[in-house]
Amino acid sequence: MSSPPSKRHKTTSTIPPPPYELLYWPTIPGRGESIRLCFEATSTPYIDVCNASRTGTSNLLSLLSGTGDATNPPPFAPPVLKHGDLMINQLPNILLYIGPRLGLAGSDGEDEGGREATRYHVNQLALTALDGLSNEAHDVHHPVAVGAYYEEQKAEAKRRAEDYIAHRLPKFLGYFERVLRGKASKGGEWLVGGQLTYADLVLWQCLDGVRYAFPRAVERLREEGEYEKVWGLYERITDIESIKSYLNSERRLDYGNGIWRHYPELDE
């Protein structure tokens, strides 16, 4: 039986909490998607600024070219999260901030030392998924220069794709299979602690992204049957009612020219 996220931090204040505002490039999932999934999985209201407003993108660009304010340095790149007076960027940093607040950073049943350790383990697992299944997946189609077009580095991308599919992708899938088979998973349904955390949601998004980018390669790996627990986690999250509703809604954006791109010649 799947365990729900742990309870959110309680507050006795009668003042309504400030809204979560996510600023990320419009029309693509990208690095903003793991943040959206955390809000959607916990039915937490949020504003997807650049997709909800015509002026959202210009607001984001102003932040990126500005100097910040008295308490917040300027963000370097999206995603950016605004929550009350706080403004932060960098995806892992945002996940580290919202995870405990949404009940997605481990069990509240542990003592403080145990909770702290679990938070670091959750972050460790999310970082690993982002390293191998997001950042490296992006570098397949842009192996030489991020600022150059794919068409300018196709030969290098082809070589990078061959190595990624043959070695790097199985390496990371194998790692998460071991994590799910380990004792710290506490049952093999979730990565750590026997309950859904943001690390699971990050892994889900990364798996979904590589499925889009390399459908043939991923299908071959699935058919080999070596990563049953990894794909079991993927299906388990897909079946969460709040996630299922989100995936069937217009809020879920289509893949395009973002991190995960499908070029048939790279998926052979």
Side-chain angles (χ1 to χ4, degrees):
M1 190 72 177
S2 302
S3 298
S6 57
K7 295 180 180 178
R8 303 180 198 178
H9 289 258
K10 295 180 179 179
T11 177
T12 57
S13 174
T14 58
I15 301 174
Y20 290 101
E21 298 177 69
L22 170 65
L23 293 98
Y24 189 74
W25 304 124
T27 74
I28 58 173
R31 290 182 175 86
E33 192 62 15
S34 294
I35 301 166
R36 294 187 189 100
L37 287 170
C38 289
F39 292 139
E40 296 287 349
T42 56
S43 299
T44 300
Y46 69 104
I47 303 170
D48 193 349
V49 176
C50 294
N51 287 301
S53 168
R54 292 181 179 179
T55 61
T57 302
S58 61
N59 291 341
L60 172 59
L61 292 173
S62 295
L63 291 175
L64 299 181
S65 61
T67 58
D69 58 33
T71 57
N72 296 292
F76 177 73
V80 176
L81 182 77
K82 296 178 73 174
H83 190 219
D85 294 330
L86 178 70
M87 178 175 66
I88 55 176
N89 81 306
Q90 293 287 356
L91 172 56
N93 194 39
I94 293 171
L95 293 170
L96 195 61
Y97 176 77
I98 65 174
R101 289 165 173 79
L102 304 184
L104 291 171
S107 175
D108 284 341
E110 301 170 334
D111 59 30
E112 181 55 36
R115 287 196 297 272
E116 183 178 26
T118 300
R119 284 197 294 269
Y120 287 123
H121 290 144
V122 170
N123 199 45
Q124 164 189 308
L125 293 164
L127 287 167
T128 303
L130 292 170
D131 280 346
L133 303 174
S134 177
N135 297 339
E136 289 197 27
H138 170 273
D139 291 347
V140 167
H141 55 76
H142 275 71
V144 177
V146 174
Y149 290 108
Y150 163 68
E151 288 74 16
E152 299 176 82
Q153 46 197 316
K154 289 180 70 172
E156 295 88 349
K158 176 66 173 174
R159 184 177 178 185
R160 184 68 172 262
E162 291 171 353
D163 179 74
Y164 184 74
I165 290 170
H167 303 292
R168 302 300 290 170
L169 183 54
K171 183 181 182 73
F172 281 93
L173 294 178
Y175 169 72
F176 285 108
E177 185 73 14
R178 288 192 289 117
V179 170
L180 288 163
R181 294 184 183 278
K183 292 181 180 179
S185 169
K186 299 193 186 307
E189 289 193 344
W190 309 111
L191 289 172
V192 64
Q195 67 181 69
L196 178 72
T197 68
Y198 70 78
D200 300 293
L201 295 169
V202 169
L203 179 57
W204 184 93
Q205 175 52 43
C206 289
L207 292 170
D208 197 66
V210 295
R211 281 186 71 204
Y212 171 78
F214 311 105
R216 294 178 61 190
V218 168
E219 187 58 31
R220 287 197 303 269
L221 289 169
R222 291 192 71 166
E223 288 176 354
E224 291 175 3
E226 295 183 18
Y227 315 109
E228 292 181 356
K229 287 192 173 294
V230 169
W231 295 111
L233 179 147
Y234 178 84
E235 299 298 340
R236 195 169 299 114
I237 290 178
T238 304
D239 286 339
I240 294 174
E241 284 302 319
S242 56
I243 294 294
K244 187 184 300 184
S245 175
Y246 169 61
L247 295 177
N248 291 325
S249 75
E250 293 183 355
R251 298 191 305 281
R252 173 68 174 183
L253 303 171
D254 294 333
Y255 291 104
N257 287 329
I259 296 171
W260 298 280
R261 305 185 190 185
H262 176 60
Y263 296 105
E265 64 271 22
L266 301 183
D267 183 31
E268 297 177 350

